[in-house]
Amino acid sequence: MKLTPLHTCVSFIALSSAFLVSPALAQDAAQAESAEAAPESVGLDAIVVTASGRDKTQLNSSVSVSSISAETIQSLKPSSEAEVFRTIPGIQVAGTSGPGGNSNIAVRGLPVATGGSPFVQIQEDGLPTVLFGDIQFGNNDYWTRFDSSVANIEGVRGGSATTFASQAPGAVINYISHTGKQEGGFVSVGKGLGYDETRVDFRYGGSINDTTYFHVGGYFKNGRGPLHADYTVSDSIQVKGNLTKEFDGGKGFFRLNFKYADTQEPNYTGAPALATISGKNVGNIRPYPGFDGRDSSNYSIYNQDFLIYNRDGNLERVKMDGITTNAKAFGGQLHYEFDGGITVDNNARYTKMSGGFASPFLNTAPTSSVLGSTVNGKTVAAIRYASGLKAGELFTDAYLDNNVNVRTNIRDIGSFANDLTLAGKYEFGAGKVTARAGVFYMNQKIAMDWHVNKSLRELSGENPSQLDLFDSAGNKLTQAGTSGYNNNWGNCCARDYDLSYANTAPYISLDLDHDMFGVDGSVRFERVKASGYAIAGGSEFNIVSNGVTIPTITSNGVREQLNYTRSYTSYTFGGLFKVSPNVSIFARTSRGGRFNGDRQTLGGKIRDDGALCTSGDIGSNGCTADGITPSVDFVKQHELGIKSRGDLLGGRFTMELTLLKGSFKQSTFELSATKCPGGAGGCVIDAKYKSSGAEFFGTYRNGGFSLVGNATYSKAKKQGAGAANFVRADGIPDLIYTVSANYDIGEMATVGMAVTGQTSAIDSNGFQYPGKAIFNPSLRIYPIKNLELGLQVYNLFDTFDLRGNGGIADAAANPVVIGGAPALGRTFSGSVRYNF
């Protein structure tokens, strides 16, 4: 994608407009903006529209739900989509994977066994962007980008997420778009200060006539990013819009939606660090000399493209361009209220989508572990720089990066989705009964080919060189630092597949709403039809690459032809007591299932005829394991909550507190050696987990002061050596929190401070890493009417916050060498915004 000239033009026009267009009232524009974008402005009176019946306020809903306005999210200056999710209570994510995505998104202490977000669904305007949250190399945070088209984000945890959405027993996160019913918009230009990054955000909506209105918004982004890559790693555009026509006196509306996205963003894979270890406690963590993960990465001009052995049997040079997406979506929404209390809603969307994943994974290893080892049948006697100013010189550093160069071609991840609901409301004594019936259908395509090269590079945060290996006779054993094509984790991961999953889910609910209480229950009947093929890697063979013999694997091994259907049921029951007009108490119990999609393939769980293996098939029909039981993972949850609002110290507050208890099992394929026994890639992990805790969400407003905060406390455990032995789960801190405060200084300026942090977490080997807080201040000034100048700081105190899972690289060294994923360091950005 070549957008640099376009970005330059847009930046110039936007900046010029900001200073030259005749100004209007800045505060009026800000109020118009917030009227549509800030549901917390009406607090618990906001109608819940996500994974619900769409006719109850937050206060009177017996589910845990929070609505976060676009303005609140923007004040946090999130560095990635994962940091957006941290604003939602119950969602637990490190937020260090970068703007491209690939985060592990846990919910309510229910950990992620391998990767992605298996129990969390991300939606745009009520429909999932992808059906499964943990598609291998296709996590759901690749395909959604927060931008100015979004009015607010609603997060429903547990409860009705189980039955009003498929594959989402943990939570639904819904990006809700502006519609233009409230006229207005803005153009904003943001620039990195001290690093190369430009972002232009825009939106505008308004009426065409009395019954028709529209909205369009999006962003452009280009640059090398805050980790100072020496080539362009961000090059993105996204535009979303809708057109709404109301009819029959406001009884109904029809809305057309569209989205175009062509994005390229880096995926951060961590950095080395130094630390002190006492027992199992890791402390005094600080940057590794020459590689400070707060402001540098292993993206390198000497590795900005590399060779893969492609699915056509040829060597192909591909870009190291992070996570790329290309999406074209078109859909429509219909709502109509018939006489007699009958309402029909239909939401449909077709999405053509593809992309790619290219990243230099990082792992710190002693150089001594390579010297003297056997590589490609020869003993390694020397290591030399393969590129850069030192090309050809001996490499003598104590540590190197021995992880993979990976490229995954996501040929097709498109879908068609439709959700149809019919509801009827009837008087029942002193209350009202609402009955709903609906059917959801989604056909999800997943077509990919994987290329994981064995690779060696210098351990440096400034354009690391690839490293070549030589034997004692001076024979070269690698080519441009690559010692194998598609074989880094063995034949598990040179795979090629073209899969299709058709999910049909009828659902019904019954709701009784009384002046003093409410009770409800709903059931969802899932049926998923799997088809297509998956091919594993075959036997290793040699090819010649620029005169060097390199071992290679390609997808010509075991072939599975999928042809099976799996059905299961999810349910939830809840009750709410209306203590007063400002206080309600609720309780809920739920059991939700999620289908194990592409991670079920090539694990010996599918018969030769395409059916799922039974326990009786093991040892025949191509079966090595039961496929039926692990094809669906179930989550059980119990909740007890209170919601309240009222006056406090001259201002108004809202508060939601939910006590939690849950458990789940998960069977999933792990592609890397990170968690596989013995360090071998390609294993199936079967695990059981349980968790208890609480989540909190609160707001407070007093004059020009506003505060929004959330916290999630959980005791997450996984099954240990015995059936009754549960130990602390890795990667989940006991407490994770986000707080955002703003103060309006009259009509002149707004001062803000956002804090995001967590307590300690352990890695997969039980080592505990301290948790820290990051402070992000901001300042917005209104020098003239309708013009806003902004200054934002991320990580004010430049805290070295190792949020991601760590790992001990060399415990014998002093100080100890570790690896992990730190949050971004102190980063400044400026912005100019014109409201209209």
Side-chain angles (χ1 to χ4, degrees):
M1 184 172 63
K2 302 295 185 183
L3 289 176
T4 303
L6 176 60
H7 286 183
T8 303
C9 292
V10 172
S11 300
F12 177 78
I13 293 171
L15 284 168
S16 300
S17 300
F19 287 102
L20 298 178
V21 175
S22 298
L25 292 173
Q27 292 302 314
D28 290 347
Q31 291 170 3
E33 178 78 13
S34 63
E36 185 177 351
E40 60 256 40
S41 65
V42 292
L44 295 174
D45 284 329
I47 298 294
V48 182
V49 300
T50 301
S52 69
R54 295 174 174 261
D55 64 349
K56 285 190 176 183
T57 64
Q58 292 186 36
L59 181 65
N60 292 324
S61 298
S62 57
V63 295
S64 299
V65 56
S66 304
S67 188
I68 318 296
S69 75
E71 289 294 320
T72 296
I73 295 169
Q74 288 165 353
S75 72
L76 291 170
K77 298 307 296 178
S79 62
S80 64
E81 222 62 28
E83 290 209 332
V84 173
F85 305 151
R86 287 175 73 98
T87 65
I88 301 171
I91 304 300
Q92 297 159 306
V93 57
T96 57
S97 290
N102 206 43
S103 298
N104 293 341
I105 307 170
V107 57
R108 291 181 159 186
L110 304 179
V112 178
T114 54
S117 52
F119 304 114
V120 178
Q121 183 180 102
I122 299 175
Q123 296 182 348
E124 290 182 352
D125 294 314
L127 289 175
T129 52
V130 289
L131 183 59
F132 308 115
D134 63 342
I135 295 172
Q136 296 172 107
F137 291 113
N139 293 357
N140 51 15
D141 64 342
Y142 292 16
W143 315 104
T144 303
R145 295 284 180 264
F146 173 77
D147 67 10
S148 55
S149 69
V150 178
N152 60 289
I153 295 178
E154 212 167 65
V156 175
R157 288 86 62 197
S160 58
T162 300
T163 54
F164 280 88
S166 289
Q167 319 308 330
V172 173
I173 300 173
N174 187 17
Y175 285 49
I176 300 171
S177 297
H178 287 283
T179 63
K181 195 165 188 177
Q182 181 76 48
E183 185 171 3
F186 69 84
V187 174
S188 174
V189 180
K191 293 282 291 185
L193 303 178
Y195 64 97
D196 174 32
E197 185 171 281
T198 300
R199 175 165 172 145
V200 178
D201 286 272
F202 65 94
R203 83 167 192 88
Y204 182 72
S207 298
I208 297 175
N209 55 42
D210 290 343
T211 59
T212 309
Y213 43 94
F214 75 97
H215 188 272
V216 62
Y219 76 97
F220 308 92
K221 184 182 176 186
N222 183 268
R224 301 182 177 186
L227 296 191
H228 302 284
D230 274 350
Y231 67 97
T232 298
V233 291
S234 291
D235 192 2
S236 300
I237 178 174
Q238 177 171 285
V239 181
K240 293 166 61 182
N242 53 68
L243 176 67
T244 304
K245 171 66 177 179
E246 295 182 353
F247 57 90
D248 200 6
K251 285 186 174 182
F253 71 81
F254 179 70
R255 177 173 297 137
L256 294 175
N257 302 292
F258 78 88
K259 171 184 173 179
Y260 172 79
D262 190 354
T263 71
Q264 174 194 324
E265 297 294 342
N267 162 240
Y268 302 150
T269 58
L274 301 178
T276 301
I277 296 181
S278 176
K280 284 288 187 177
N281 293 314
V282 181
N284 191 22
I285 301 174
R286 52 208 186 273
Y288 183 86
F291 197 157
D292 186 340
R294 294 172 297 181
D295 61 10
S296 55
S297 76
N298 58 344
Y299 280 89
S300 170
I301 57 174
Y302 305 123
N303 193 30
Q304 60 182 307
D305 55 58
F306 61 104
L307 289 174
I308 63 169
Y309 189 80
N310 65 24
R311 65 197 301 259
D312 296 322
N314 300 310
L315 286 175
E316 177 187 355
R317 188 162 294 278
V318 296
K319 294 180 179 180
M320 186 67 78
D321 51 7
I323 295 175
T324 56
T325 75
N326 189 288
K328 303 176 184 68
F330 180 79
Q333 295 172 264
L334 172 68
H335 171 82
Y336 190 74
E337 300 172 7
F338 293 92
D339 294 334
I342 304 298
T343 303
V344 62
D345 285 277
N346 194 72
N347 194 0
R349 184 178 63 225
Y350 168 76
T351 303
K352 182 179 180 181
M353 195 155 64
S354 59
F357 181 101
S359 183
F361 285 9
L362 185 138
N363 184 66
T364 302
T367 302
S368 59
S369 67
V370 177
L371 288 170
S373 68
T374 300
V375 174
N376 300 341
K378 301 289 182 66
T379 301
V380 178
I383 306 174
R384 297 182 181 275
Y385 292 92
S387 50
L389 298 177
K390 296 183 180 180
E393 295 182 18
L394 280 174
F395 174 81
T396 59
D397 291 358
Y399 299 94
L400 47 71
D401 176 2
N402 68 350
N403 216 333
V404 60
N405 265 357
V406 60
R407 166 74 184 194
T408 299
N409 297 317
I410 308 172
R411 305 189 303 271
D412 186 0
I413 198 164
S415 62
F416 173 76
N418 191 88
D419 196 3
L420 171 65
T421 305
L422 185 67
K425 299 180 182 179
Y426 310 96
E427 300 295 329
F428 185 77
K432 181 181 293 184
V433 171
T434 302
R436 292 182 182 84
V439 60
F440 169 83
Y441 173 82
M442 186 167 182
N443 189 300
Q444 178 69 63
K445 305 292 186 184
I446 308 175
M448 297 190 194
D449 50 279
W450 297 3
H451 309 276
V452 289
N453 292 355
K454 283 186 177 179
S455 182
L456 286 171
R457 68 188 62 87
E458 179 185 11
L459 190 65
S460 170
E462 186 175 351
N463 291 318
S465 168
Q466 294 291 103
L467 300 175
D468 275 328
L469 306 180
F470 295 82
D471 66 12
S472 58
N475 296 311
K476 195 176 181 184
L477 308 180
T478 57
Q479 174 55 39
T482 298
S483 58
Y485 292 121
N486 305 343
N487 68 344
N488 191 76
W489 297 308
N491 62 7
C492 78
C493 304
R495 55 177 57 187
D496 186 315
Y497 49 90
D498 193 335
L499 305 169
S500 177
Y501 295 94
N503 189 165
T504 305
Y507 54 93
I508 54 175
S509 71
L510 193 64
D511 184 303
L512 171 61
D513 189 15
H514 188 273
D515 288 342
M516 295 297 297
F517 66 90
V519 292
D520 68 271
S522 53
V523 182
R524 190 177 188 92
F525 306 95
E526 302 279 5
R527 181 179 184 272
V528 183
K529 167 68 174 176
S531 59
Y533 69 83
I535 310 172
S539 300
E540 197 170 75
F541 59 94
N542 292 328
I543 67 167
V544 176
S545 176
N546 199 25
V548 181
T549 300
I550 304 293
T552 303
I553 294 178
T554 193
S555 53
N556 59 0
V558 173
R559 181 186 180 102
E560 291 181 345
Q561 194 73 37
L562 280 63
N563 184 22
Y564 65 87
T565 300
R566 184 71 160 87
S567 299
Y568 56 97
T569 303
S570 300
Y571 63 81
T572 184
F573 301 98
L576 177 126
F577 177 58
K578 303 174 185 178
V579 179
S580 73
N582 294 319
V583 179
S584 62
I585 299 173
F586 73 93
R588 179 164 295 278
T589 186
S590 311
R591 189 196 80 154
R594 58 88 59 183
F595 181 82
N596 201 337
D598 62 307
R599 291 178 181 261
Q600 185 83 343
T601 60
L602 300 175
K605 299 180 180 180
I606 297 173
R607 290 166 49 106
D608 293 336
D609 62 4
L612 287 173
C613 296
T614 66
S615 56
D617 288 325
I618 297 175
S620 63
N621 301 309
C623 296
T624 60
D626 170 30
I628 293 178
T629 303
S631 64
V632 178
D633 298 323
F634 288 100
V635 176
K636 296 180 180 178
Q637 296 183 80
H638 310 286
E639 307 167 60
L640 177 64
I642 182 171
K643 304 179 184 183
S644 178
R645 64 185 176 188
D647 298 323
L648 179 66
L649 302 175
R652 292 285 294 174
F653 77 91
T654 69
M655 182 274 292
E656 305 163 51
L657 175 66
T658 307
L659 303 180
L660 311 165
K661 185 176 182 180
S663 63
F664 79 99
K665 71 172 187 64
Q666 186 178 14
S667 178
T668 184
F669 176 78
E670 168 64 21
L671 63 94
S672 74
T674 306
K675 296 184 177 182
C676 288
C683 66
V684 175
I685 295 177
D686 292 299
K688 292 183 178 180
Y689 297 85
K690 64 181 182 181
S691 178
S692 59
E695 61 186 28
F696 171 85
F697 180 77
T699 70
Y700 181 71
R701 183 174 292 274
N702 189 337
F705 176 75
S706 62
L707 178 73
V708 179
N710 77 79
T712 302
Y713 173 79
S714 63
K715 285 293 185 182
K717 298 181 178 181
K718 65 179 179 181
Q719 191 175 48
N725 179 33
F726 279 80
V727 298
R728 184 179 179 184
D730 58 280
I732 301 290
D734 288 345
L735 178 67
I736 184 170
Y737 56 90
T738 299
V739 180
S740 175
N742 288 277
Y743 183 72
D744 296 330
I745 305 173
E747 297 183 1
M748 298 172 54
T750 299
V751 179
M753 174 64 78
V755 182
T756 176
Q758 63 186 50
T759 56
S760 64
I762 64 171
D763 65 16
S764 56
N765 292 313
F767 287 94
Q768 180 171 277
Y769 298 77
K772 298 181 180 180
I774 287 177
F775 294 80
N776 309 320
S778 62
L779 174 65
R780 287 179 286 176
I781 300 173
Y782 316 108
I784 58 175
K785 293 178 181 179
N786 225 25
L787 179 65
E788 175 187 303
L789 305 179
L791 175 66
Q792 301 84 29
V793 184
Y794 183 89
N795 196 354
L796 174 65
F797 301 112
D798 205 25
T799 303
F800 197 87
D801 185 8
L802 201 66
R803 288 180 181 171
N805 287 337
I808 309 301
D810 189 353
N814 186 18
V816 173
V817 179
I818 66 173
L824 286 177
R826 183 164 49 235
T827 306
F828 295 86
S829 60
S831 61
V832 178
R833 171 167 161 163
Y834 173 68
N835 299 301
F836 47 82

